[in-house]
Amino acid sequence: MSFTVLIPARLASTRLPNKPLADIGGLPMVVRVAQRVLLGQPHDDQPRVVVATDSAVIMEACAAHGVEAVLTRHDHPSGSDRLAEASSLLGLPDEHIVVNVQGDEPLIDPALVGAVAMLLTQQPQASMSTAAHAIDNEADFHNTSVVKVVLDAQGLALYFSRAPIPYWRDQPQNAGGTGTMGLPTQPQPLRHIGIYAYRAGFLRQFPKLAQAPIEITEALEQLRAMWHGYRIAVHLTLQPPGLGVDTPQDLDRVRRLITR
C-alpha cells in the first residue's frame, strides 16, 4: 500500500522554544520522529516520509540526516493548513493517502501509522481516519485534556468531545468503590489518539471549510469535518499513545527513555 507521511514542524512554541530541533540522543526531535515512523513499515513498501516546515533551519537539519523536507509558508493557522500546502507542493494525487504524524511524538507506535492508513483504504465512505484506545480509569474519563470519541456500528466516529462520553445515565450508586471505577462498560469509553490519515484531495479541501460552532466550542479541529458531513473512520488499538513532547519535563522523560 502506497502512502505518504507528512510531519508538520514549526519553530514557534510557547512552552518549548525550537522544539523540533531539541536534541534527543544526538538527533533533532523531528528527525527522530521521521526515523521512528519507518520502523514499523515493510522494507519493500515503505512510505514516503516528508517534514513540512516553515523554517530553513529545520530544512537544513533534516537534510543533514537524510530526511526529506518541504518548505511551506510561515503564516498557516494550523498544521492541517501546512499539510494541505505540502501535499500540493509534492503533487500528490487526490486519492493518495496522507498520514499526519505530529513532529513532537518521537515515541509514536510505528505500526499505528500503517494501520490508520490501511483503515482509510478499507472505509471508502470516510474522508479521514484516526485512532483510539479504551479508557480504563475514571480520572482520564473525566479529564478534559483527554479527548473522547464515540463510534457507530461501522467504526465511524459519531462525536468527539472533551466531556466524558458516553454519559452513563444509570451509573450504579457504588461506582467508584471497590471493583468499579465508575466507567461505562457497554460501550467502553475510548480515548482519541491524535493521528490522522486523509485522502490528499480532501486534505487540500479541509482548510477551506468554514469553522464549525462545535469545533470552536470543543477546540477540536476534527469536528469541522463532521459538521460539514464528512465521516471519520477510527482504528482501535490496544496500545496507548506514545509520550508527546509539550514541555521541558516531557523532553527530559523522552530523553531518558531513548537513552535506555
Side-chain angles (χ1 to χ4, degrees):
M1 178 187 60
S2 174
F3 65 96
T4 298
V5 176
L6 293 181
I7 304 172
R10 63 189 186 96
L11 282 181
S13 175
T14 55
R15 288 185 289 182
L16 191 58
N18 299 331
K19 181 165 66 170
L21 299 176
D23 182 272
I24 300 179
L27 292 174
M29 177 160 57
V30 69
V31 172
R32 282 275 179 193
V33 175
Q35 292 181 348
R36 184 166 177 86
V37 164
L38 293 173
L39 289 177
Q41 315 307 327
H43 290 293
D44 58 347
D45 191 25
Q46 290 199 328
R48 184 181 185 182
V49 179
V50 184
V51 172
T53 181
D54 61 351
S55 165
V57 177
I58 293 177
M59 291 282 292
E60 292 170 4
C62 290
H65 296 283
V67 174
E68 185 179 0
V70 62
L71 188 63
T72 63
R73 302 199 325 259
H74 69 277
D75 57 349
H76 286 304
S78 72
S80 298
D81 294 84
R82 190 173 312 286
L83 297 190
E85 183 191 0
S87 71
S88 295
L89 292 173
L90 295 171
L92 301 180
D94 283 351
E95 291 304 310
H96 187 74
I97 302 297
V98 176
V99 181
N100 175 4
V101 173
Q102 295 303 310
D104 58 4
E105 295 197 19
L107 297 178
I108 189 170
D109 177 11
L112 186 63
V113 178
V116 170
M118 179 63 73
L119 178 62
L120 192 54
T121 69
Q122 297 168 344
Q123 293 274 25
Q125 72 274 47
S127 300
M128 299 171 55
S129 61
T130 188
H133 76 96
I135 294 175
D136 60 5
N137 69 84
E138 192 173 1
D140 282 350
F141 187 50
H142 292 282
N143 185 347
T144 57
S145 295
V146 174
V147 177
K148 276 71 67 174
V149 59
V150 173
L151 310 183
D152 69 10
Q154 284 72 48
L156 300 172
L158 289 170
Y159 192 62
F160 295 84
S161 182
R162 298 182 182 279
I165 57 172
Y167 178 74
W168 196 0
R169 190 195 69 171
D170 297 324
Q171 180 180 12
Q173 292 300 309
N174 65 343
T178 302
T180 177
M181 293 182 291
L183 291 172
T185 55
Q186 293 295 329
Q188 188 171 10
L190 299 172
R191 174 179 183 161
H192 176 233
I193 300 172
I195 181 173
Y196 297 98
Y198 318 78
R199 293 181 179 83
F202 175 74
L203 174 59
R204 289 188 281 265
Q205 179 185 1
F206 179 74
K208 301 175 185 176
L209 299 174
Q211 276 196 305
I214 54 173
E215 171 194 1
I216 296 169
T217 298
E218 295 260 19
L220 296 174
E221 193 179 49
Q222 65 269 35
L223 290 175
R224 185 188 313 178
M226 298 184 67
W227 175 265
H228 288 281
Y230 297 97
R231 303 306 304 273
I232 302 175
V234 181
H235 169 74
L236 298 181
T237 176
L238 297 177
Q239 299 295 324
L243 177 63
V245 178
D246 290 317
T247 66
Q249 292 75 24
D250 294 337
L251 182 58
D252 287 341
R253 285 196 291 271
V254 168
R255 282 170 170 164
R256 288 195 297 269
L257 289 169
I258 293 291
T259 300
R260 292 173 189 167

